[in-house]
Amino acid sequence: MYKYKVKQTETRNYFFNWFQSEYEKVYLFDTYNEALIFCLSEEIKQFTCIVSDEVETTRKTYKNYYTLKQFEKHCVNNSMHFLNTQKCRLDEKQIANYYFYLIGSNNLKKLKKFKNAKK
């Protein structure tokens, strides 16, 4: 049905950083969830949904999910929701490991942003 295309650019330096070249890798995914997990783990801001040959739409990765910096901030402030503990005793590296663990284990519900209901 739909295909999801993720573009990732990589910069490489050669000969004592005198020369730079950029390489672009393109990944294709069959499901939205696979593409979303890949974009969250690689910290890619947007990806493309291919509807047909002529129609392509872009999806923003961090529209509904926390970035790593946002997650660290909210994890310290609201540790009961994210860590199931009263106080956060983790340092930044351990919180980052937990963030990527949630992504790798497909447990994205803790990474979803809370939207206030408008009245």
Side-chain angles (χ1 to χ4, degrees):
M1 190 169 167
Y2 296 140
K3 294 281 186 185
Y4 297 93
K5 178 171 63 174
V6 179
K7 290 182 182 178
Q8 184 179 28
T9 57
E10 182 180 332
T11 305
R12 293 184 185 170
N13 297 323
Y14 297 103
F15 197 63
F16 303 110
N17 296 332
W18 288 353
F19 301 106
Q20 272 187 343
S21 61
E22 290 189 358
Y23 294 100
E24 186 173 281
K25 293 183 181 179
V26 177
Y27 300 96
L28 289 174
F29 296 98
D30 293 329
T31 63
Y32 173 77
N33 201 25
E34 290 175 354
L36 179 67
I37 288 172
F38 180 77
C39 288
L40 284 172
S41 64
E42 294 292 325
E43 297 180 353
I44 299 171
K45 293 182 182 176
Q46 66 184 10
F47 57 98
T48 307
C49 173
I50 302 170
V51 179
S52 68
D53 292 336
E54 296 94 23
V55 180
E56 291 184 358
T57 61
T58 58
R59 307 291 168 107
K60 295 185 179 179
T61 307
Y62 296 115
K63 183 178 179 182
N64 295 324
Y65 295 96
Y66 290 122
T67 62
L68 180 58
K69 288 184 179 182
Q70 291 172 343
F71 182 75
E72 287 174 350
K73 179 182 139 188
H74 290 290
C75 189
V76 171
N77 293 338
N78 191 4
S79 61
M80 185 58 114
H81 173 70
F82 294 105
L83 301 173
N84 296 331
T85 61
Q86 291 291 332
K87 292 183 180 179
C88 180
R89 295 187 178 120
L90 302 175
D91 61 352
E92 291 181 10
K93 185 177 179 182
Q94 291 172 334
I95 292 174
N97 287 340
Y98 183 63
Y99 176 79
F100 290 114
Y101 166 75
L102 290 174
I103 293 170
S105 65
N106 198 9
N107 193 358
L108 301 177
K109 62 185 174 188
K110 288 193 176 185
L111 300 178
K112 199 161 192 130
K113 289 183 181 177
F114 177 73
K115 306 248 180 176
N116 291 335
K118 294 181 181 179
K119 294 180 180 178

